[in-house]
Amino acid sequence: MTDDAQARIAEIVQKNDVVLFMKGSPLFPQCGFSSRAVAILNHLEVEFDSVDVLQDQGVRQGIKEFSDWPTIPQLYVKGEFVGGSDIMMEMYESGELAELFKH
């Protein structure tokens, strides 16, 4: 894992209020978990940026170390790691995720 990839990830996370590291793109998710994460954000009408980890091996491996979280997708809001699609689903169902975007 290169420092370069870590620096790029840190910059992306800091630069964007809401960013989803995912497999594929919001229009063409490449896995079911990424698809679910996109669907949740779209349902909440949240504007978000995305990073396709399949396009960059450094980021694909680096994001797991950056967050200390083993799976993708990963959601970041205002520089903070929120979680993957399961956590997003739980937070969505409890209303916690919608609250996160109100501020």
mmCIF file of all heavy atoms in Angstrom, residues 2 6-7 10 16 18 23 28 35-36 38 41 43 45 54-55 61 63 72 79 86-87 91 93:
data_model
loop_
_atom_site.group_PDB
_atom_site.id
_atom_site.type_symbol
_atom_site.label_atom_id
_atom_site.label_comp_id
_atom_site.label_asym_id
_atom_site.label_seq_id
_atom_site.Cartn_x
_atom_site.Cartn_y
_atom_site.Cartn_z
ATOM 1 N N THR A 2 0.678 2.094 -0.974
ATOM 2 C CA THR A 2 1.552 3.247 -1.091
ATOM 3 C C THR A 2 1.004 4.444 -0.341
ATOM 4 O O THR A 2 -0.206 4.590 -0.152
ATOM 5 C CB THR A 2 1.729 3.647 -2.570
ATOM 6 O OG1 THR A 2 0.460 4.079 -3.066
ATOM 7 C CG2 THR A 2 2.240 2.495 -3.409
ATOM 8 N N GLN A 6 -2.851 6.500 -0.108
ATOM 9 C CA GLN A 6 -3.413 7.021 1.154
ATOM 10 C C GLN A 6 -3.654 8.525 1.062
ATOM 11 O O GLN A 6 -4.688 9.017 1.502
ATOM 12 C CB GLN A 6 -2.472 6.723 2.327
ATOM 13 C CG GLN A 6 -2.408 5.272 2.711
ATOM 14 C CD GLN A 6 -3.691 4.775 3.351
ATOM 15 O OE1 GLN A 6 -4.138 5.278 4.363
ATOM 16 N NE2 GLN A 6 -4.291 3.779 2.732
ATOM 17 N N ALA A 7 -2.703 9.228 0.463
ATOM 18 C CA ALA A 7 -2.841 10.686 0.310
ATOM 19 C C ALA A 7 -4.017 11.016 -0.608
ATOM 20 O O ALA A 7 -4.785 11.948 -0.330
ATOM 21 C CB ALA A 7 -1.545 11.283 -0.233
ATOM 22 N N ALA A 10 -7.272 10.344 1.319
ATOM 23 C CA ALA A 10 -7.483 11.397 2.317
ATOM 24 C C ALA A 10 -7.991 12.676 1.655
ATOM 25 O O ALA A 10 -8.917 13.328 2.163
ATOM 26 C CB ALA A 10 -6.191 11.668 3.089
ATOM 27 N N ASN A 16 -14.849 16.124 -0.390
ATOM 28 C CA ASN A 16 -16.252 15.883 -0.701
ATOM 29 C C ASN A 16 -17.064 15.682 0.572
ATOM 30 O O ASN A 16 -16.672 14.903 1.437
ATOM 31 C CB ASN A 16 -16.379 14.620 -1.573
ATOM 32 C CG ASN A 16 -15.635 14.767 -2.885
ATOM 33 O OD1 ASN A 16 -16.013 15.536 -3.741
ATOM 34 N ND2 ASN A 16 -14.539 14.024 -3.022
ATOM 35 N N VAL A 18 -19.963 14.195 0.888
ATOM 36 C CA VAL A 18 -20.461 12.816 0.904
ATOM 37 C C VAL A 18 -19.786 12.076 -0.244
ATOM 38 O O VAL A 18 -19.911 12.478 -1.397
ATOM 39 C CB VAL A 18 -21.999 12.758 0.729
ATOM 40 C CG1 VAL A 18 -22.486 11.313 0.803
ATOM 41 C CG2 VAL A 18 -22.704 13.624 1.771
ATOM 42 N N LYS A 23 -17.799 -0.304 -5.986
ATOM 43 C CA LYS A 23 -17.413 -1.055 -7.174
ATOM 44 C C LYS A 23 -18.356 -0.646 -8.293
ATOM 45 O O LYS A 23 -19.562 -0.864 -8.205
ATOM 46 C CB LYS A 23 -17.504 -2.557 -6.911
ATOM 47 C CG LYS A 23 -16.469 -3.037 -5.909
ATOM 48 C CD LYS A 23 -16.584 -4.515 -5.633
ATOM 49 C CE LYS A 23 -15.537 -4.940 -4.619
ATOM 50 N NZ LYS A 23 -15.729 -6.349 -4.229
ATOM 51 N N PHE A 28 -23.996 2.355 -12.915
ATOM 52 C CA PHE A 28 -23.711 0.947 -13.198
ATOM 53 C C PHE A 28 -22.923 0.305 -12.066
ATOM 54 O O PHE A 28 -21.739 -0.009 -12.218
ATOM 55 C CB PHE A 28 -22.940 0.813 -14.524
ATOM 56 C CG PHE A 28 -23.691 1.313 -15.712
ATOM 57 C CD1 PHE A 28 -23.390 2.537 -16.275
ATOM 58 C CD2 PHE A 28 -24.731 0.563 -16.259
ATOM 59 C CE1 PHE A 28 -24.093 3.020 -17.367
ATOM 60 C CE2 PHE A 28 -25.436 1.037 -17.353
ATOM 61 C CZ PHE A 28 -25.126 2.266 -17.903
ATOM 62 N N SER A 35 -24.734 -1.446 -5.183
ATOM 63 C CA SER A 35 -26.043 -1.082 -5.712
ATOM 64 C C SER A 35 -26.984 -0.662 -4.584
ATOM 65 O O SER A 35 -27.705 0.336 -4.691
ATOM 66 C CB SER A 35 -26.625 -2.267 -6.481
ATOM 67 O OG SER A 35 -27.871 -1.938 -7.023
ATOM 68 N N ARG A 36 -26.965 -1.411 -3.479
ATOM 69 C CA ARG A 36 -27.824 -1.083 -2.344
ATOM 70 C C ARG A 36 -27.429 0.269 -1.732
ATOM 71 O O ARG A 36 -28.290 1.069 -1.382
ATOM 72 C CB ARG A 36 -27.748 -2.177 -1.278
ATOM 73 C CG ARG A 36 -28.705 -1.867 -0.134
ATOM 74 C CD ARG A 36 -28.682 -2.792 1.050
ATOM 75 N NE ARG A 36 -28.188 -4.122 0.846
ATOM 76 C CZ ARG A 36 -27.834 -4.911 1.859
ATOM 77 N NH1 ARG A 36 -27.930 -4.502 3.104
ATOM 78 N NH2 ARG A 36 -27.392 -6.126 1.627
ATOM 79 N N VAL A 38 -25.990 2.827 -3.197
ATOM 80 C CA VAL A 38 -26.436 3.881 -4.114
ATOM 81 C C VAL A 38 -27.944 4.091 -3.981
ATOM 82 O O VAL A 38 -28.425 5.227 -3.914
ATOM 83 C CB VAL A 38 -26.057 3.546 -5.577
ATOM 84 C CG1 VAL A 38 -26.759 4.467 -6.555
ATOM 85 C CG2 VAL A 38 -24.542 3.621 -5.756
ATOM 86 N N LEU A 41 -28.777 6.105 -0.821
ATOM 87 C CA LEU A 41 -28.449 7.531 -0.964
ATOM 88 C C LEU A 41 -29.416 8.220 -1.920
ATOM 89 O O LEU A 41 -29.869 9.341 -1.659
ATOM 90 C CB LEU A 41 -27.001 7.698 -1.438
ATOM 91 C CG LEU A 41 -25.938 7.262 -0.420
ATOM 92 C CD1 LEU A 41 -24.554 7.296 -1.050
ATOM 93 C CD2 LEU A 41 -25.985 8.135 0.827
ATOM 94 N N HIS A 43 -32.507 7.324 -2.544
ATOM 95 C CA HIS A 43 -33.809 7.404 -1.891
ATOM 96 C C HIS A 43 -33.863 8.588 -0.923
ATOM 97 O O HIS A 43 -34.900 9.231 -0.791
ATOM 98 C CB HIS A 43 -34.130 6.102 -1.163
ATOM 99 C CG HIS A 43 -35.528 6.051 -0.642
ATOM 100 N ND1 HIS A 43 -36.612 5.825 -1.456
ATOM 101 C CD2 HIS A 43 -36.018 6.231 0.607
ATOM 102 C CE1 HIS A 43 -37.714 5.867 -0.726
ATOM 103 N NE2 HIS A 43 -37.378 6.096 0.531
ATOM 104 N N GLU A 45 -32.266 11.216 -1.401
ATOM 105 C CA GLU A 45 -32.006 12.388 -2.251
ATOM 106 C C GLU A 45 -30.757 13.140 -1.808
ATOM 107 O O GLU A 45 -30.730 14.363 -1.734
ATOM 108 C CB GLU A 45 -33.237 13.307 -2.286
ATOM 109 C CG GLU A 45 -34.449 12.613 -2.889
ATOM 110 C CD GLU A 45 -35.689 13.492 -2.933
ATOM 111 O OE1 GLU A 45 -35.649 14.635 -2.413
ATOM 112 O OE2 GLU A 45 -36.687 13.030 -3.495
ATOM 113 N N LEU A 54 -12.674 -0.211 -8.703
ATOM 114 C CA LEU A 54 -12.227 -1.155 -9.725
ATOM 115 C C LEU A 54 -11.285 -0.498 -10.738
ATOM 116 O O LEU A 54 -10.551 -1.178 -11.443
ATOM 117 C CB LEU A 54 -13.427 -1.765 -10.457
ATOM 118 C CG LEU A 54 -14.415 -2.537 -9.577
ATOM 119 C CD1 LEU A 54 -15.601 -3.018 -10.410
ATOM 120 C CD2 LEU A 54 -13.733 -3.703 -8.891
ATOM 121 N N GLN A 55 -11.310 0.826 -10.786
ATOM 122 C CA GLN A 55 -10.459 1.560 -11.724
ATOM 123 C C GLN A 55 -9.055 1.813 -11.181
ATOM 124 O O GLN A 55 -8.190 2.276 -11.907
ATOM 125 C CB GLN A 55 -11.101 2.922 -12.071
ATOM 126 C CG GLN A 55 -12.464 2.824 -12.712
ATOM 127 C CD GLN A 55 -12.432 2.127 -14.053
ATOM 128 O OE1 GLN A 55 -11.525 2.330 -14.849
ATOM 129 N NE2 GLN A 55 -13.425 1.286 -14.299
ATOM 130 N N GLN A 61 -7.210 -1.301 -2.555
ATOM 131 C CA GLN A 61 -6.581 -1.867 -1.359
ATOM 132 C C GLN A 61 -6.439 -0.813 -0.257
ATOM 133 O O GLN A 61 -6.646 -1.100 0.916
ATOM 134 C CB GLN A 61 -5.205 -2.443 -1.709
ATOM 135 C CG GLN A 61 -5.276 -3.670 -2.588
ATOM 136 C CD GLN A 61 -6.209 -4.738 -2.048
ATOM 137 O OE1 GLN A 61 -6.155 -5.104 -0.881
ATOM 138 N NE2 GLN A 61 -7.104 -5.231 -2.901
ATOM 139 N N ILE A 63 -8.202 1.849 0.524
ATOM 140 C CA ILE A 63 -9.381 2.293 1.266
ATOM 141 C C ILE A 63 -9.662 1.356 2.437
ATOM 142 O O ILE A 63 -10.136 1.778 3.493
ATOM 143 C CB ILE A 63 -10.623 2.441 0.337
ATOM 144 C CG1 ILE A 63 -11.749 3.196 1.046
ATOM 145 C CG2 ILE A 63 -11.118 1.091 -0.159
ATOM 146 C CD1 ILE A 63 -11.434 4.633 1.379
ATOM 147 N N ILE A 72 -16.054 -3.227 0.657
ATOM 148 C CA ILE A 72 -16.481 -2.097 -0.155
ATOM 149 C C ILE A 72 -17.921 -2.384 -0.527
ATOM 150 O O ILE A 72 -18.245 -3.540 -0.813
ATOM 151 C CB ILE A 72 -15.572 -1.997 -1.405
ATOM 152 C CG1 ILE A 72 -14.148 -1.640 -0.950
ATOM 153 C CG2 ILE A 72 -16.090 -0.975 -2.403
ATOM 154 C CD1 ILE A 72 -13.088 -1.867 -1.991
ATOM 155 N N GLY A 79 -15.916 13.838 5.987
ATOM 156 C CA GLY A 79 -14.610 13.351 6.424
ATOM 157 C C GLY A 79 -14.644 12.182 7.382
ATOM 158 O O GLY A 79 -13.605 11.650 7.743
ATOM 159 N N ASP A 86 -24.303 -2.656 4.854
ATOM 160 C CA ASP A 86 -25.120 -3.185 5.953
ATOM 161 C C ASP A 86 -25.368 -2.127 7.017
ATOM 162 O O ASP A 86 -26.491 -1.957 7.499
ATOM 163 C CB ASP A 86 -24.446 -4.410 6.594
ATOM 164 C CG ASP A 86 -24.445 -5.617 5.666
ATOM 165 O OD1 ASP A 86 -25.141 -5.574 4.629
ATOM 166 O OD2 ASP A 86 -23.747 -6.592 5.969
ATOM 167 N N ILE A 87 -24.323 -1.402 7.389
ATOM 168 C CA ILE A 87 -24.463 -0.333 8.381
ATOM 169 C C ILE A 87 -25.351 0.771 7.818
ATOM 170 O O ILE A 87 -26.217 1.304 8.520
ATOM 171 C CB ILE A 87 -23.075 0.207 8.795
ATOM 172 C CG1 ILE A 87 -22.351 -0.861 9.618
ATOM 173 C CG2 ILE A 87 -23.206 1.511 9.575
ATOM 174 C CD1 ILE A 87 -20.908 -0.567 9.908
ATOM 175 N N MET A 91 -28.788 2.060 9.532
ATOM 176 C CA MET A 91 -28.951 3.476 9.852
ATOM 177 C C MET A 91 -30.118 4.080 9.080
ATOM 178 O O MET A 91 -30.836 4.936 9.588
ATOM 179 C CB MET A 91 -27.658 4.241 9.561
ATOM 180 C CG MET A 91 -26.531 3.900 10.511
ATOM 181 S SD MET A 91 -25.001 4.745 10.069
ATOM 182 C CE MET A 91 -25.410 6.448 10.495
ATOM 183 N N GLU A 93 -32.846 2.419 8.047
ATOM 184 C CA GLU A 93 -34.085 1.904 8.627
ATOM 185 C C GLU A 93 -34.415 2.557 9.963
ATOM 186 O O GLU A 93 -35.580 2.739 10.301
ATOM 187 C CB GLU A 93 -34.015 0.379 8.779
ATOM 188 C CG GLU A 93 -34.086 -0.327 7.430
ATOM 189 C CD GLU A 93 -33.829 -1.824 7.507
ATOM 190 O OE1 GLU A 93 -33.349 -2.308 8.552
ATOM 191 O OE2 GLU A 93 -34.124 -2.501 6.495
#
